[in-house]
Amino acid sequence: MSENKKIIFSMVGVSKSFNNNNKQVLKDIYLSFFYGAKIGIIGLNGSGKSTLLKIIAGIEKSFQGEIHFSEGYNIGYLEQDPKLDESKTVIEIVKEGMQEAVDVLAAYNAINDKFSLPEYYENQDKMDSLMQEQAKLQDQIEALDAWDIETKLNIAMDALRCPDSNTPISVLSGGEKRRVALCRLLLREPDILLLDEPTNH
């Protein structure tokens, strides 16, 4: 079966009530979608759209019914009002979307710095060990296509009209925060992208 004809998610008889007021938000929902499907969920305020997305994303775990998600697919979820660390800058948040690549490059640069230290260049065993570690990290960087990470980050930020890289998160408007959070999310390259109220800003 081709990828775009494969059902990767099913929700069977899902209901959800909030315990604090016993209000039923979702009742007996059946939903399935193929890989590659584009689905819009429309409803009045308070009708359970956000709750439904949180269940699909695996964030909301308290519900009745069953959900089935095929293995091997990862989900990216953008909430209505993303919670971003206000002590960080735009670029620091965006880089979190490529954290593995950022970390590998940092480790590679740290190793390169050690080559100039007498402790290493005067000790052949340490030098050999350092070179082996460097080779492993080079392979990881190649696999992640991380050599040109700064360019990728800048292209993504420009495409989403993110604020200037060094702008503190604390001064951004709701719409700007949302664009920064979306940029970070897209850089993680999720297989399934869930956007809660994508046009509210």
Side-chain angles (χ1 to χ4, degrees):
M1 180 182 296
S2 70
E3 187 85 343
N4 62 352
K5 295 297 181 190
K6 178 182 177 185
I7 293 176
I8 62 167
F9 177 82
S10 293
M11 180 177 279
V12 182
V14 167
S15 298
K16 168 72 181 170
S17 298
F18 287 109
N19 295 334
N20 55 351
N21 58 11
N22 213 23
K23 178 187 175 190
Q24 188 161 42
V25 180
L26 301 173
K27 184 177 180 184
D28 209 23
I29 303 288
Y30 288 78
L31 170 70
S32 295
F33 57 77
F34 296 112
Y35 182 77
K38 293 173 181 65
I39 300 170
I41 298 170
I42 300 170
L44 298 171
N45 286 344
S47 62
K49 301 183 300 294
S50 293
T51 302
L52 184 66
L53 287 177
K54 286 177 184 173
I55 291 172
I56 295 171
I59 295 166
E60 178 61 64
K61 300 185 185 299
S62 173
F63 57 87
Q64 297 77 46
E66 299 175 27
I67 61 169
H68 305 282
F69 214 118
S70 297
E71 289 184 24
Y73 297 93
N74 60 41
I75 299 174
Y77 171 67
L78 181 66
E79 57 191 327
Q80 286 187 49
D81 295 304
K83 311 295 182 279
L84 303 178
D85 186 337
E86 302 239 326
S87 70
K88 293 187 175 182
T89 63
V90 168
I91 191 63
E92 288 172 325
I93 294 293
V94 170
K95 277 185 175 180
E96 291 173 359
M98 299 186 77
Q99 195 63 56
E100 185 180 1
V102 168
D103 291 345
V104 170
L105 281 170
Y108 179 81
N109 289 332
I111 281 186
N112 285 343
D113 291 343
K114 290 179 182 177
F115 280 113
S116 63
L117 300 176
E119 174 190 348
Y120 290 92
Y121 68 72
E122 291 177 358
N123 184 318
Q124 189 60 48
D125 288 340
K126 284 189 175 184
M127 198 67 167
D128 289 344
S129 176
L130 205 58
M131 290 174 74
Q132 287 174 5
E133 200 174 338
Q134 184 191 47
K136 285 180 190 173
L137 288 169
Q138 281 178 325
D139 289 343
Q140 286 180 277
I141 292 168
E142 294 287 345
L144 292 167
D145 194 21
W147 288 116
D148 205 14
I149 191 172
E150 293 300 324
T151 301
K152 287 179 186 176
L153 292 171
N154 288 330
I155 289 170
M157 289 172 63
D158 285 347
L160 289 167
R161 293 181 296 120
C162 289
D164 183 78
S165 297
N166 297 316
T167 306
I169 295 298
S170 59
V171 303
L172 300 184
S173 68
E176 288 172 325
K177 286 180 182 176
R178 201 167 160 83
R179 284 200 298 274
V180 170
L182 179 59
C183 189
R184 175 182 65 182
L185 181 60
L186 291 175
L187 286 167
R188 289 178 181 154
E189 299 183 8
D191 297 306
I192 309 301
L193 183 62
L194 303 174
L195 304 175
D196 194 351
E197 297 283 359
T199 60
N200 72 346
H201 288 293

